[in-house]
Amino acid sequence: MERDAVVTEQRAPWWRTVLWGTLCAGASLTSVAFSELLRRDEYGWQVLLALLGLLLALGLPVLLVWRHRAPVAVTLVASAAAVVVPIGSWTALVGLGSLIGRRRGRQVRWAAAAAVAATVVSIVRDTRGATSATSLVKTVFAPADAAPGVKVVLGWWVAPLLVLLGVAIAVGAGLAVRAQRLAAVSAGQVTAARHASAELGDRLARQRERERIGREVHDVLGHRLSLLNLHAGALEAHAPDGPLGDSARLVRESAARSMADLRSLLAVLDEPLDAGPTEPDLSLVDLPQMIAETVETGVPVSSSVYVDSAERADPALARAVYRIVQEVLTNARRHAPAQPIRLEVSGGPAAGMRIDARNPYVPGAGEQGAGQGLRGMAERVELLGGQLAYGLDDGGRTFRVTVDLPWRDSGV
């Protein structure tokens, strides 16, 4: 079964509706003026019929306001009115053009048949007038020097030609409107396709850049860390027992862990841009171990870690807290070397997570490469809907970083 289809519902400018309404009203009044409604000498219901014809000629074109929303109804009503009252099929033809420009299907054919029938009735009714005074068509075809009211004889082909011409103009205008609207839709689809293609090209370029960076990082840092691991292992093997041997062991283990972290991070670069995170799962339970590793490097850290239901934390939250604490300790070691660090990590399902880190401020040390670590922390905090604050405290003697994150349960 064939179903009706809507080409588009874009509304035309208001001035176009006013123009069509004015033209149809003028043409309908002209048709009434040449009809028999205003040629009767009797009084009574004929006068009421003439008044009805004038009112319809003026009021029916108002329906063109709804020719976009309900073109079928407008065309059918105008066609029925043109058959009953000699006001011409002008409004019906305009409605038909709008209908063809916007709809397809069986309803369009029925409405077109009604408009054609109304046009046939209107033209035949008009051409039945014997003189130019009673027929608009005969007035047009009458000789220029003919007296008013002269009798005009038309050929049999005039009425069919006028019907064909009127319907052809309406249908042609509707098809032109449809073609224009379809062209606009196609242009929009082409633009969307070009935008999608450009976006895919950008994503491909970023993916290739990520792969190139990954190869560079692997070649440079992998070589450096392997050498560090090799020399630390040799130093550990030949160093006597004591602090020197412990330091060599710590350097070797740290280099090995750094190589493992590097491989896991490079695996992220190999994933598609829209893939989920492949970073190893980190748990809040691992925080004390990571802080202890920092203490083993000789950095004085005073830490307090208390997290309720740490094993239930969402992996994204646990990863963010772990990386933020790691970055805070790294920044403190870099910008305030050998200075004590005070770290507090607390939270749970009821209060959320809070990180509070403080270290003495060393003027000038924080300006070397400052900002990258804080920017990364800010991005992590923003993704989780938290708050980050950092700056000088205690009269400018302490640099403080505080992070508040809402709790996210893993649902396990």
Side-chain angles (χ1 to χ4, degrees):
M1 179 181 297
E2 182 181 4
R3 298 188 299 179
D4 297 338
V6 177
V7 176
T8 180
E9 290 295 338
Q10 183 179 1
R11 182 171 297 182
W14 64 269
W15 58 265
R16 190 177 301 172
T17 300
V18 173
L19 177 62
W20 281 118
T22 303
L23 292 177
C24 290
S28 298
L29 286 175
T30 303
S31 297
V32 173
F34 280 91
S35 68
E36 296 181 356
L37 292 179
L38 302 182
R39 301 277 174 193
R40 295 180 180 272
D41 296 331
E42 299 88 350
Y43 296 91
W45 64 270
Q46 292 90 346
V47 177
L48 295 178
L49 188 60
L51 181 61
L52 176 61
L54 293 175
L55 292 178
L56 283 176
L58 292 174
L60 194 63
V62 177
L63 294 177
L64 295 178
V65 175
W66 293 278
R67 72 185 189 279
H68 300 149
R69 288 187 245 173
V72 176
V74 171
T75 304
L76 292 177
V77 171
S79 300
V83 171
V84 176
V85 183
I87 58 175
S89 60
W90 315 99
T91 304
L93 291 177
V94 173
L96 177 61
S98 180
L99 173 61
I100 293 176
R102 287 167 173 77
R103 302 287 176 86
R104 295 176 180 173
R106 183 173 51 189
Q107 290 184 343
V108 176
R109 292 193 293 271
W110 283 108
V116 171
T119 304
V120 171
V121 171
S122 299
I123 292 180
V124 171
R125 179 191 289 144
D126 183 80
T127 55
R128 289 177 59 188
T131 65
S132 61
T134 59
S135 173
L136 176 60
V137 176
K138 291 183 178 181
T139 300
V140 174
F141 283 90
D145 56 350
V150 67
K151 187 176 181 179
V152 178
V153 179
L154 300 176
W156 65 268
W157 50 269
V158 174
L161 178 62
L162 293 177
V163 172
L164 181 61
L165 181 62
V167 174
I169 292 176
V171 174
L175 293 177
V177 171
R178 177 187 295 180
Q180 180 182 3
R181 293 176 181 275
L182 290 177
V185 172
S186 299
Q189 293 176 348
V190 170
T191 302
R194 289 178 178 174
H195 178 73
S197 177
E199 184 177 356
L200 289 175
D202 293 340
R203 294 179 59 183
L204 180 60
R206 292 197 300 269
Q207 182 69 28
R208 290 177 176 175
E209 183 66 15
R210 284 167 47 145
E211 294 174 355
R212 186 189 65 80
I213 294 174
R215 289 192 296 269
E216 293 290 334
V217 170
H218 180 272
D219 293 342
V220 176
L221 291 185
H223 176 68
R224 300 289 185 183
L225 289 175
S226 62
L227 289 179
L228 180 62
N229 190 16
L230 177 63
H231 289 289
L235 181 61
E236 180 184 9
H238 295 84
D241 295 336
L244 182 59
D246 295 338
S247 297
R249 178 184 55 80
L250 180 61
V251 171
R252 180 182 58 78
E253 293 177 353
S254 298
R257 284 193 295 267
S258 297
M259 284 292 297
D261 292 339
L262 178 61
R263 293 190 186 96
S264 64
L265 292 177
L266 291 180
V268 176
L269 295 179
D270 293 334
E271 294 293 329
L273 293 175
D274 55 352
T278 58
E279 191 175 353
D281 288 337
L282 301 174
S283 173
L284 295 178
V285 181
D286 301 328
L287 279 177
Q289 179 181 356
M290 186 263 291
I291 297 174
E293 293 175 357
T294 303
V295 174
E296 290 179 358
T297 62
V299 178
V301 179
S302 175
S303 63
S304 172
V305 179
Y306 177 76
V307 180
D308 184 22
S309 303
E311 67 283 352
R312 289 172 44 194
D314 183 76
L317 174 64
R319 186 183 303 110
V321 172
Y322 189 96
R323 293 305 185 194
I324 290 173
V325 172
Q326 190 178 49
E327 185 63 30
V328 164
L329 296 177
T330 301
N331 289 343
R333 291 198 306 268
R334 180 186 303 120
H335 303 306
Q339 298 296 324
I341 304 173
R342 181 181 175 185
L343 174 65
E344 296 180 2
V345 181
S346 61
M353 291 298 302
R354 180 173 179 82
I355 303 172
D356 190 347
R358 311 178 190 185
N359 60 269
Y361 175 65
V362 179
E367 298 177 359
Q368 300 177 356
Q372 296 298 326
L374 292 174
R375 187 177 298 111
M377 283 191 287
E379 292 177 356
R380 291 183 182 273
V381 172
E382 182 180 0
L383 288 175
L384 294 178
Q387 295 181 348
L388 168 67
Y390 57 87
L392 297 179
D393 195 9
D394 193 20
R397 295 188 296 270
T398 302
F399 186 81
R400 184 177 182 182
V401 178
T402 59
V403 176
D404 291 289
L405 297 172
W407 180 266
R408 296 175 60 175
D409 200 284
S410 62
V412 179

PDB file of all heavy atoms in Angstrom, residues 129-161:
ATOM      1  N   GLY A 129     -21.501  32.265 -20.776  1.00  0.00           N
ATOM      2  CA  GLY A 129     -22.024  33.609 -20.988  1.00  0.00           C
ATOM      3  C   GLY A 129     -21.947  33.975 -22.460  1.00  0.00           C
ATOM      4  O   GLY A 129     -20.930  33.766 -23.122  1.00  0.00           O
ATOM      5  N   ALA A 130     -23.011  34.548 -22.963  1.00  0.00           N
ATOM      6  CA  ALA A 130     -23.080  34.802 -24.412  1.00  0.00           C
ATOM      7  C   ALA A 130     -22.236  35.979 -24.837  1.00  0.00           C
ATOM      8  O   ALA A 130     -21.674  36.001 -25.940  1.00  0.00           O
ATOM      9  CB  ALA A 130     -24.549  35.027 -24.835  1.00  0.00           C
ATOM     10  N   THR A 131     -22.100  36.983 -23.998  1.00  0.00           N
ATOM     11  CA  THR A 131     -21.406  38.202 -24.391  1.00  0.00           C
ATOM     12  C   THR A 131     -20.176  38.410 -23.523  1.00  0.00           C
ATOM     13  O   THR A 131     -19.957  37.722 -22.518  1.00  0.00           O
ATOM     14  CB  THR A 131     -22.331  39.414 -24.262  1.00  0.00           C
ATOM     15  OG1 THR A 131     -22.669  39.600 -22.867  1.00  0.00           O
ATOM     16  CG2 THR A 131     -23.625  39.205 -25.062  1.00  0.00           C
ATOM     17  N   SER A 132     -19.392  39.416 -23.905  1.00  0.00           N
ATOM     18  CA  SER A 132     -18.191  39.749 -23.130  1.00  0.00           C
ATOM     19  C   SER A 132     -18.529  40.326 -21.769  1.00  0.00           C
ATOM     20  O   SER A 132     -17.680  40.339 -20.873  1.00  0.00           O
ATOM     21  CB  SER A 132     -17.332  40.742 -23.924  1.00  0.00           C
ATOM     22  OG  SER A 132     -18.066  41.941 -24.170  1.00  0.00           O
ATOM     23  N   ALA A 133     -19.743  40.801 -21.597  1.00  0.00           N
ATOM     24  CA  ALA A 133     -20.130  41.346 -20.301  1.00  0.00           C
ATOM     25  C   ALA A 133     -20.466  40.272 -19.294  1.00  0.00           C
ATOM     26  O   ALA A 133     -20.505  40.534 -18.094  1.00  0.00           O
ATOM     27  CB  ALA A 133     -21.330  42.289 -20.479  1.00  0.00           C
ATOM     28  N   THR A 134     -20.746  39.073 -19.750  1.00  0.00           N
ATOM     29  CA  THR A 134     -21.118  37.976 -18.849  1.00  0.00           C
ATOM     30  C   THR A 134     -20.081  36.874 -18.814  1.00  0.00           C
ATOM     31  O   THR A 134     -20.322  35.820 -18.226  1.00  0.00           O
ATOM     32  CB  THR A 134     -22.470  37.376 -19.293  1.00  0.00           C
ATOM     33  OG1 THR A 134     -22.356  36.906 -20.643  1.00  0.00           O
ATOM     34  CG2 THR A 134     -23.580  38.406 -19.192  1.00  0.00           C
ATOM     35  N   SER A 135     -18.926  37.078 -19.421  1.00  0.00           N
ATOM     36  CA  SER A 135     -17.888  36.035 -19.458  1.00  0.00           C
ATOM     37  C   SER A 135     -16.510  36.696 -19.399  1.00  0.00           C
ATOM     38  O   SER A 135     -16.170  37.518 -20.249  1.00  0.00           O
ATOM     39  CB  SER A 135     -18.018  35.190 -20.727  1.00  0.00           C
ATOM     40  OG  SER A 135     -16.915  34.301 -20.837  1.00  0.00           O
ATOM     41  N   LEU A 136     -15.751  36.320 -18.394  1.00  0.00           N
ATOM     42  CA  LEU A 136     -14.395  36.846 -18.275  1.00  0.00           C
ATOM     43  C   LEU A 136     -13.517  36.342 -19.411  1.00  0.00           C
ATOM     44  O   LEU A 136     -12.703  37.101 -19.967  1.00  0.00           O
ATOM     45  CB  LEU A 136     -13.798  36.433 -16.919  1.00  0.00           C
ATOM     46  CG  LEU A 136     -12.344  36.806 -16.660  1.00  0.00           C
ATOM     47  CD1 LEU A 136     -12.156  38.322 -16.725  1.00  0.00           C
ATOM     48  CD2 LEU A 136     -11.865  36.255 -15.322  1.00  0.00           C
ATOM     49  N   VAL A 137     -13.682  35.068 -19.794  1.00  0.00           N
ATOM     50  CA  VAL A 137     -12.880  34.518 -20.880  1.00  0.00           C
ATOM     51  C   VAL A 137     -13.192  35.231 -22.194  1.00  0.00           C
ATOM     52  O   VAL A 137     -12.280  35.590 -22.961  1.00  0.00           O
ATOM     53  CB  VAL A 137     -13.117  33.004 -21.001  1.00  0.00           C
ATOM     54  CG1 VAL A 137     -12.372  32.431 -22.199  1.00  0.00           C
ATOM     55  CG2 VAL A 137     -12.688  32.291 -19.725  1.00  0.00           C
ATOM     56  N   LYS A 138     -14.473  35.464 -22.466  1.00  0.00           N
ATOM     57  CA  LYS A 138     -14.839  36.126 -23.715  1.00  0.00           C
ATOM     58  C   LYS A 138     -14.422  37.590 -23.713  1.00  0.00           C
ATOM     59  O   LYS A 138     -14.156  38.156 -24.779  1.00  0.00           O
ATOM     60  CB  LYS A 138     -16.345  35.987 -23.946  1.00  0.00           C
ATOM     61  CG  LYS A 138     -16.755  34.547 -24.253  1.00  0.00           C
ATOM     62  CD  LYS A 138     -18.228  34.427 -24.563  1.00  0.00           C
ATOM     63  CE  LYS A 138     -18.592  32.983 -24.918  1.00  0.00           C
ATOM     64  NZ  LYS A 138     -20.021  32.824 -25.253  1.00  0.00           N
ATOM     65  N   THR A 139     -14.348  38.196 -22.535  1.00  0.00           N
ATOM     66  CA  THR A 139     -13.836  39.566 -22.465  1.00  0.00           C
ATOM     67  C   THR A 139     -12.364  39.603 -22.865  1.00  0.00           C
ATOM     68  O   THR A 139     -11.902  40.525 -23.542  1.00  0.00           O
ATOM     69  CB  THR A 139     -14.007  40.125 -21.044  1.00  0.00           C
ATOM     70  OG1 THR A 139     -15.388  40.118 -20.693  1.00  0.00           O
ATOM     71  CG2 THR A 139     -13.454  41.527 -20.931  1.00  0.00           C
ATOM     72  N   VAL A 140     -11.613  38.582 -22.459  1.00  0.00           N
ATOM     73  CA  VAL A 140     -10.190  38.527 -22.809  1.00  0.00           C
ATOM     74  C   VAL A 140     -10.022  38.281 -24.302  1.00  0.00           C
ATOM     75  O   VAL A 140      -9.145  38.881 -24.954  1.00  0.00           O
ATOM     76  CB  VAL A 140      -9.487  37.432 -21.983  1.00  0.00           C
ATOM     77  CG1 VAL A 140      -8.054  37.264 -22.435  1.00  0.00           C
ATOM     78  CG2 VAL A 140      -9.538  37.773 -20.494  1.00  0.00           C
ATOM     79  N   PHE A 141     -10.854  37.414 -24.874  1.00  0.00           N
ATOM     80  CA  PHE A 141     -10.698  37.060 -26.289  1.00  0.00           C
ATOM     81  C   PHE A 141     -11.469  37.985 -27.224  1.00  0.00           C
ATOM     82  O   PHE A 141     -11.365  37.848 -28.446  1.00  0.00           O
ATOM     83  CB  PHE A 141     -11.154  35.619 -26.522  1.00  0.00           C
ATOM     84  CG  PHE A 141     -10.156  34.591 -26.072  1.00  0.00           C
ATOM     85  CD1 PHE A 141     -10.190  34.098 -24.778  1.00  0.00           C
ATOM     86  CD2 PHE A 141      -9.173  34.153 -26.936  1.00  0.00           C
ATOM     87  CE1 PHE A 141      -9.266  33.159 -24.359  1.00  0.00           C
ATOM     88  CE2 PHE A 141      -8.249  33.204 -26.520  1.00  0.00           C
ATOM     89  CZ  PHE A 141      -8.283  32.703 -25.228  1.00  0.00           C
ATOM     90  N   ALA A 142     -12.266  38.911 -26.701  1.00  0.00           N
ATOM     91  CA  ALA A 142     -13.013  39.825 -27.560  1.00  0.00           C
ATOM     92  C   ALA A 142     -12.067  40.782 -28.263  1.00  0.00           C
ATOM     93  O   ALA A 142     -11.004  41.127 -27.738  1.00  0.00           O
ATOM     94  CB  ALA A 142     -14.036  40.592 -26.731  1.00  0.00           C
ATOM     95  N   PRO A 143     -12.423  41.237 -29.471  1.00  0.00           N
ATOM     96  CA  PRO A 143     -11.583  42.219 -30.167  1.00  0.00           C
ATOM     97  C   PRO A 143     -11.400  43.484 -29.337  1.00  0.00           C
ATOM     98  O   PRO A 143     -12.280  43.871 -28.561  1.00  0.00           O
ATOM     99  CB  PRO A 143     -12.347  42.488 -31.464  1.00  0.00           C
ATOM    100  CG  PRO A 143     -13.205  41.281 -31.654  1.00  0.00           C
ATOM    101  CD  PRO A 143     -13.579  40.813 -30.283  1.00  0.00           C
ATOM    102  N   ALA A 144     -10.255  44.125 -29.514  1.00  0.00           N
ATOM    103  CA  ALA A 144      -9.958  45.312 -28.720  1.00  0.00           C
ATOM    104  C   ALA A 144     -10.928  46.449 -29.000  1.00  0.00           C
ATOM    105  O   ALA A 144     -11.237  47.257 -28.106  1.00  0.00           O
ATOM    106  CB  ALA A 144      -8.526  45.766 -28.977  1.00  0.00           C
ATOM    107  N   ASP A 145     -11.447  46.568 -30.224  1.00  0.00           N
ATOM    108  CA  ASP A 145     -12.338  47.664 -30.576  1.00  0.00           C
ATOM    109  C   ASP A 145     -13.798  47.283 -30.489  1.00  0.00           C
ATOM    110  O   ASP A 145     -14.673  48.017 -30.962  1.00  0.00           O
ATOM    111  CB  ASP A 145     -12.035  48.147 -31.994  1.00  0.00           C
ATOM    112  CG  ASP A 145     -12.119  47.011 -33.014  1.00  0.00           C
ATOM    113  OD1 ASP A 145     -12.230  45.839 -32.567  1.00  0.00           O
ATOM    114  OD2 ASP A 145     -12.065  47.285 -34.224  1.00  0.00           O
ATOM    115  N   ALA A 146     -14.099  46.110 -29.880  1.00  0.00           N
ATOM    116  CA  ALA A 146     -15.488  45.678 -29.785  1.00  0.00           C
ATOM    117  C   ALA A 146     -16.215  46.460 -28.710  1.00  0.00           C
ATOM    118  O   ALA A 146     -15.643  46.848 -27.690  1.00  0.00           O
ATOM    119  CB  ALA A 146     -15.552  44.184 -29.486  1.00  0.00           C
ATOM    120  N   ALA A 147     -17.480  46.688 -28.903  1.00  0.00           N
ATOM    121  CA  ALA A 147     -18.294  47.412 -27.930  1.00  0.00           C
ATOM    122  C   ALA A 147     -18.580  46.515 -26.730  1.00  0.00           C
ATOM    123  O   ALA A 147     -18.618  45.291 -26.847  1.00  0.00           O
ATOM    124  CB  ALA A 147     -19.605  47.857 -28.580  1.00  0.00           C
ATOM    125  N   PRO A 148     -18.794  47.109 -25.537  1.00  0.00           N
ATOM    126  CA  PRO A 148     -19.116  46.311 -24.352  1.00  0.00           C
ATOM    127  C   PRO A 148     -20.396  45.514 -24.562  1.00  0.00           C
ATOM    128  O   PRO A 148     -21.369  46.011 -25.126  1.00  0.00           O
ATOM    129  CB  PRO A 148     -19.287  47.354 -23.260  1.00  0.00           C
ATOM    130  CG  PRO A 148     -18.527  48.550 -23.736  1.00  0.00           C
ATOM    131  CD  PRO A 148     -18.679  48.544 -25.226  1.00  0.00           C
ATOM    132  N   GLY A 149     -20.379  44.291 -24.136  1.00  0.00           N
ATOM    133  CA  GLY A 149     -21.540  43.440 -24.271  1.00  0.00           C
ATOM    134  C   GLY A 149     -21.681  42.794 -25.614  1.00  0.00           C
ATOM    135  O   GLY A 149     -22.732  42.207 -25.914  1.00  0.00           O
ATOM    136  N   VAL A 150     -20.666  42.858 -26.479  1.00  0.00           N
ATOM    137  CA  VAL A 150     -20.740  42.247 -27.789  1.00  0.00           C
ATOM    138  C   VAL A 150     -20.710  40.724 -27.645  1.00  0.00           C
ATOM    139  O   VAL A 150     -20.077  40.176 -26.740  1.00  0.00           O
ATOM    140  CB  VAL A 150     -19.569  42.722 -28.670  1.00  0.00           C
ATOM    141  CG1 VAL A 150     -18.249  42.210 -28.128  1.00  0.00           C
ATOM    142  CG2 VAL A 150     -19.754  42.248 -30.099  1.00  0.00           C
ATOM    143  N   LYS A 151     -21.402  40.073 -28.539  1.00  0.00           N
ATOM    144  CA  LYS A 151     -21.446  38.624 -28.513  1.00  0.00           C
ATOM    145  C   LYS A 151     -20.151  38.050 -29.086  1.00  0.00           C
ATOM    146  O   LYS A 151     -19.698  38.459 -30.149  1.00  0.00           O
ATOM    147  CB  LYS A 151     -22.644  38.128 -29.317  1.00  0.00           C
ATOM    148  CG  LYS A 151     -22.866  36.628 -29.216  1.00  0.00           C
ATOM    149  CD  LYS A 151     -24.122  36.209 -29.943  1.00  0.00           C
ATOM    150  CE  LYS A 151     -24.357  34.719 -29.809  1.00  0.00           C
ATOM    151  NZ  LYS A 151     -25.603  34.279 -30.497  1.00  0.00           N
ATOM    152  N   VAL A 152     -19.554  37.102 -28.372  1.00  0.00           N
ATOM    153  CA  VAL A 152     -18.279  36.511 -28.775  1.00  0.00           C
ATOM    154  C   VAL A 152     -18.464  35.006 -28.869  1.00  0.00           C
ATOM    155  O   VAL A 152     -19.034  34.369 -27.971  1.00  0.00           O
ATOM    156  CB  VAL A 152     -17.152  36.845 -27.769  1.00  0.00           C
ATOM    157  CG1 VAL A 152     -15.856  36.184 -28.196  1.00  0.00           C
ATOM    158  CG2 VAL A 152     -16.987  38.350 -27.637  1.00  0.00           C
ATOM    159  N   VAL A 153     -17.982  34.446 -29.954  1.00  0.00           N
ATOM    160  CA  VAL A 153     -18.038  32.996 -30.162  1.00  0.00           C
ATOM    161  C   VAL A 153     -16.627  32.434 -30.045  1.00  0.00           C
ATOM    162  O   VAL A 153     -15.706  32.894 -30.719  1.00  0.00           O
ATOM    163  CB  VAL A 153     -18.647  32.667 -31.543  1.00  0.00           C
ATOM    164  CG1 VAL A 153     -18.677  31.150 -31.758  1.00  0.00           C
ATOM    165  CG2 VAL A 153     -20.040  33.247 -31.659  1.00  0.00           C
ATOM    166  N   LEU A 154     -16.482  31.452 -29.180  1.00  0.00           N
ATOM    167  CA  LEU A 154     -15.177  30.833 -28.952  1.00  0.00           C
ATOM    168  C   LEU A 154     -15.122  29.461 -29.592  1.00  0.00           C
ATOM    169  O   LEU A 154     -16.141  28.776 -29.744  1.00  0.00           O
ATOM    170  CB  LEU A 154     -14.893  30.705 -27.445  1.00  0.00           C
ATOM    171  CG  LEU A 154     -14.867  32.007 -26.643  1.00  0.00           C
ATOM    172  CD1 LEU A 154     -14.677  31.684 -25.156  1.00  0.00           C
ATOM    173  CD2 LEU A 154     -13.762  32.923 -27.130  1.00  0.00           C
ATOM    174  N   GLY A 155     -13.918  29.029 -29.937  1.00  0.00           N
ATOM    175  CA  GLY A 155     -13.721  27.694 -30.464  1.00  0.00           C
ATOM    176  C   GLY A 155     -13.850  26.642 -29.380  1.00  0.00           C
ATOM    177  O   GLY A 155     -13.714  26.924 -28.179  1.00  0.00           O
ATOM    178  N   TRP A 156     -14.091  25.420 -29.790  1.00  0.00           N
ATOM    179  CA  TRP A 156     -14.278  24.339 -28.820  1.00  0.00           C
ATOM    180  C   TRP A 156     -13.019  24.060 -27.999  1.00  0.00           C
ATOM    181  O   TRP A 156     -13.083  23.514 -26.898  1.00  0.00           O
ATOM    182  CB  TRP A 156     -14.692  23.066 -29.547  1.00  0.00           C
ATOM    183  CG  TRP A 156     -13.610  22.546 -30.468  1.00  0.00           C
ATOM    184  CD1 TRP A 156     -13.461  22.832 -31.782  1.00  0.00           C
ATOM    185  CD2 TRP A 156     -12.532  21.684 -30.107  1.00  0.00           C
ATOM    186  NE1 TRP A 156     -12.355  22.215 -32.307  1.00  0.00           N
ATOM    187  CE2 TRP A 156     -11.756  21.480 -31.272  1.00  0.00           C
ATOM    188  CE3 TRP A 156     -12.131  21.053 -28.928  1.00  0.00           C
ATOM    189  CZ2 TRP A 156     -10.625  20.698 -31.298  1.00  0.00           C
ATOM    190  CZ3 TRP A 156     -11.010  20.267 -28.941  1.00  0.00           C
ATOM    191  CH2 TRP A 156     -10.259  20.077 -30.116  1.00  0.00           C
ATOM    192  N   TRP A 157     -11.904  24.429 -28.541  1.00  0.00           N
ATOM    193  CA  TRP A 157     -10.629  24.115 -27.900  1.00  0.00           C
ATOM    194  C   TRP A 157     -10.230  25.125 -26.819  1.00  0.00           C
ATOM    195  O   TRP A 157      -9.276  24.907 -26.070  1.00  0.00           O
ATOM    196  CB  TRP A 157      -9.532  24.083 -28.948  1.00  0.00           C
ATOM    197  CG  TRP A 157      -9.530  25.306 -29.850  1.00  0.00           C
ATOM    198  CD1 TRP A 157     -10.179  25.447 -31.034  1.00  0.00           C
ATOM    199  CD2 TRP A 157      -8.859  26.538 -29.581  1.00  0.00           C
ATOM    200  NE1 TRP A 157      -9.972  26.698 -31.550  1.00  0.00           N
ATOM    201  CE2 TRP A 157      -9.149  27.390 -30.677  1.00  0.00           C
ATOM    202  CE3 TRP A 157      -8.043  27.016 -28.564  1.00  0.00           C
ATOM    203  CZ2 TRP A 157      -8.665  28.698 -30.750  1.00  0.00           C
ATOM    204  CZ3 TRP A 157      -7.560  28.305 -28.646  1.00  0.00           C
ATOM    205  CH2 TRP A 157      -7.869  29.132 -29.719  1.00  0.00           C
ATOM    206  N   VAL A 158     -10.940  26.251 -26.729  1.00  0.00           N
ATOM    207  CA  VAL A 158     -10.536  27.299 -25.785  1.00  0.00           C
ATOM    208  C   VAL A 158     -10.673  26.823 -24.337  1.00  0.00           C
ATOM    209  O   VAL A 158      -9.751  26.956 -23.518  1.00  0.00           O
ATOM    210  CB  VAL A 158     -11.363  28.571 -26.015  1.00  0.00           C
ATOM    211  CG1 VAL A 158     -11.040  29.612 -24.930  1.00  0.00           C
ATOM    212  CG2 VAL A 158     -11.095  29.136 -27.396  1.00  0.00           C
ATOM    213  N   ALA A 159     -11.816  26.261 -24.003  1.00  0.00           N
ATOM    214  CA  ALA A 159     -12.041  25.820 -22.612  1.00  0.00           C
ATOM    215  C   ALA A 159     -11.051  24.731 -22.191  1.00  0.00           C
ATOM    216  O   ALA A 159     -10.414  24.837 -21.128  1.00  0.00           O
ATOM    217  CB  ALA A 159     -13.486  25.354 -22.442  1.00  0.00           C
ATOM    218  N   PRO A 160     -10.860  23.648 -22.978  1.00  0.00           N
ATOM    219  CA  PRO A 160      -9.857  22.640 -22.573  1.00  0.00           C
ATOM    220  C   PRO A 160      -8.452  23.231 -22.460  1.00  0.00           C
ATOM    221  O   PRO A 160      -7.680  22.839 -21.568  1.00  0.00           O
ATOM    222  CB  PRO A 160      -9.939  21.593 -23.687  1.00  0.00           C
ATOM    223  CG  PRO A 160     -11.289  21.748 -24.255  1.00  0.00           C
ATOM    224  CD  PRO A 160     -11.616  23.205 -24.165  1.00  0.00           C
ATOM    225  N   LEU A 161      -8.131  24.170 -23.375  1.00  0.00           N
ATOM    226  CA  LEU A 161      -6.796  24.770 -23.310  1.00  0.00           C
ATOM    227  C   LEU A 161      -6.606  25.570 -22.031  1.00  0.00           C
ATOM    228  O   LEU A 161      -5.549  25.498 -21.384  1.00  0.00           O
ATOM    229  CB  LEU A 161      -6.580  25.660 -24.537  1.00  0.00           C
ATOM    230  CG  LEU A 161      -5.228  26.392 -24.586  1.00  0.00           C
ATOM    231  CD1 LEU A 161      -4.086  25.380 -24.647  1.00  0.00           C
ATOM    232  CD2 LEU A 161      -5.178  27.340 -25.783  1.00  0.00           C
TER     233      LEU A 161
END
